[in-house]
Amino acid sequence: MNAAMVAENFGEACPASAPFFGYMGAAAALIFANLGAAYGTAKSGVGICSMGVMHPGLIMKSIIPVVMAGVIGIYGFIIAVVVGTKIKEPVGGGSQAVTPQYTLFSAFGHLGSGLTGGLSGLAAGMAIGIVGDAGVRATAQQPKLFVGMILILIFAEALGLYGLIVALIMSSSGGGSCPSA
Amino acid sequence: MSSTDFYSYACPAGAPFFGYFGAASAMALANLGAAYGTAKAGAGISGMGVTRPDLVMKALIPVVMAGVVGIYGLIIAVIISTKIRAPVLVSGSYKPQYTIFGGAAHMASGLAGGFSGLAAGIAIGIVGDIGTRALGQQPKLFVGMILILIFAEALGLYGLIVALIFSASPIGSCPE
């Protein structure tokens, strides 16, 4: 804009601000999935600790909701790494012309991908937490409830998996390449 | 505004704002999570310690794990802030050294690590509080409580790993 002598090939298709949207998508995937996983871990952990006072033998079986909540965090981690490694920096600089490598189309795709996976993980984690809390407390009083609780937790986990699948599909849609001078 | 500075679309003067925002948010948010974890678990330990003072040392583990979450934020903040280069003054004009791509990457790195630390700290606090209180009544709960706390700590670790991956991505160089 001022005294820079080399050309810059930013344009409408590949503005300099495109990486913001892509990286915000990647960060959002991890942030929201981790918030959901933390809610699931905390809420079901409260149920396990409360139940474990009177039924210490059931503690190890009851850790399953906590493990499933942790898997939600891994879903967010996967999306964040997959999206984040697709964001390429501009080439050039110094005495060479600066040419971007990252289209705005790809950036919006990655933003949508991250929000999808992250918020789905948040939803799944909250469901796992509430079901895990009530489920482990009830299983302590009625052991026949164990299989039913696991079935419900699997359905809740599937929501996070849907988010992961859609996020991976959205992040792999090609965005084309940037025009160079 | 000097018209001889070498700022450009690739390297605007505002780029370090985003980078430092990422570094600051990593530290601040992770510390908020660690503080919540320390406080909530500490309240539980204090409540339990009245009737079972012999279990207090074992029950300090949630507080240590919450502190580790704060260290994760420290690591991310230091690594990001050492990658943000100041413009150099060359015969009266400023040549920027930090790209806007770097600003975006480092802001995402800091936010991802910071919010993950916040989530992990809150989970450690809630589980530590109820866990230590229940531990006072049933010592067999110790292994179960530690297992749940490890899963909560892992969330902060995911944030640290992703933050290090983002902050290590190449950010390009500035045109001259």
Side-chain angles (χ1 to χ4, degrees):
Chain A
M1 290 185 280
N2 293 313
M5 294 300 164
V6 300
E8 293 185 280
N9 294 319
F10 293 110
E12 292 251 23
C14 302
S17 59
F20 274 104
F21 300 104
Y23 272 118
M24 277 300 109
L30 181 68
I31 291 170
F32 290 115
N34 263 356
L35 285 170
Y39 184 92
T41 306
K43 195 108 163 76
S44 42
V46 168
I48 295 166
C49 292
S50 304
M51 177 265 316
V53 175
M54 302 304 290
H55 297 95
L58 288 174
I59 295 173
M60 285 303 146
K61 269 174 64 169
S62 303
I63 297 240
I64 290 180
V66 174
V67 176
M68 300 180 87
V71 172
I72 296 288
I74 297 208
Y75 290 166
F77 177 82
I78 291 173
I79 300 167
V81 171
V82 165
V83 168
T85 51
K86 290 191 190 225
I87 306 176
K88 302 284 173 237
E89 80 279 11
V91 293
S95 52
Q96 297 176 318
V98 176
T99 306
Q101 303 285 308
Y102 190 54
T103 59
L104 195 59
F105 182 90
S106 299
F108 288 143
H110 294 156
L111 176 67
S113 165
L115 286 173
T116 301
L119 292 169
S120 298
L122 178 67
M126 293 179 75
I128 290 173
I130 296 173
V131 170
D133 183 25
V136 300
R137 289 177 200 263
T139 301
Q141 301 180 28
Q142 173 55 270
K144 290 189 188 175
L145 261 172
F146 183 68
V147 176
M149 176 186 84
I150 296 297
L151 265 175
I152 301 172
L153 286 171
I154 287 175
F155 275 99
E157 182 88 25
L159 305 177
L161 191 65
Y162 300 157
L164 174 72
I165 293 172
V166 171
L168 291 177
I169 290 175
M170 288 169 76
S171 71
S172 65
S173 60
S177 47
C178 288
S180 48
Chain B
M1 190 169 73
S2 168
S3 63
T4 60
D5 290 334
F6 287 80
Y7 291 114
S8 54
Y9 287 114
C11 300
F17 167 80
F18 301 101
Y20 279 121
F21 181 77
S25 63
M27 185 78 259
L29 293 168
N31 261 357
L32 283 169
Y36 185 91
T38 307
K40 198 105 161 73
I45 296 167
S46 306
M48 174 212 56
V50 173
T51 52
R52 295 296 306 265
D54 51 313
L55 286 175
V56 166
M57 284 300 149
K58 272 172 68 166
L60 276 175
I61 290 182
V63 174
V64 174
M65 298 180 90
V68 171
V69 171
I71 299 221
Y72 290 164
L74 172 74
I75 293 173
I76 300 167
V78 167
I79 286 184
I80 292 176
S81 59
T82 53
K83 291 188 190 264
I84 305 175
R85 308 228 169 276
V88 292
L89 194 56
V90 171
S91 46
S93 317
Y94 275 106
K95 281 194 179 176
Q97 307 289 314
Y98 189 60
T99 61
I100 196 73
F101 189 92
H106 295 157
M107 183 171 82
S109 165
L111 287 174
F115 276 108
S116 298
L118 179 69
I122 292 177
I124 289 173
I126 294 174
V127 172
D129 182 22
I130 189 78
T132 49
R133 288 182 201 270
L135 183 70
Q137 303 177 30
Q138 174 59 267
K140 287 190 191 173
L141 258 172
F142 184 66
V143 175
M145 178 185 81
I146 296 298
L147 262 176
I148 301 172
L149 286 170
I150 288 176
F151 276 100
E153 181 87 30
L155 304 177
L157 192 65
Y158 300 155
L160 174 72
I161 295 173
V162 168
L164 291 178
I165 290 176
F166 287 173
S167 67
S169 64
I171 64 173
S173 44
C174 291
E176 295 171 1

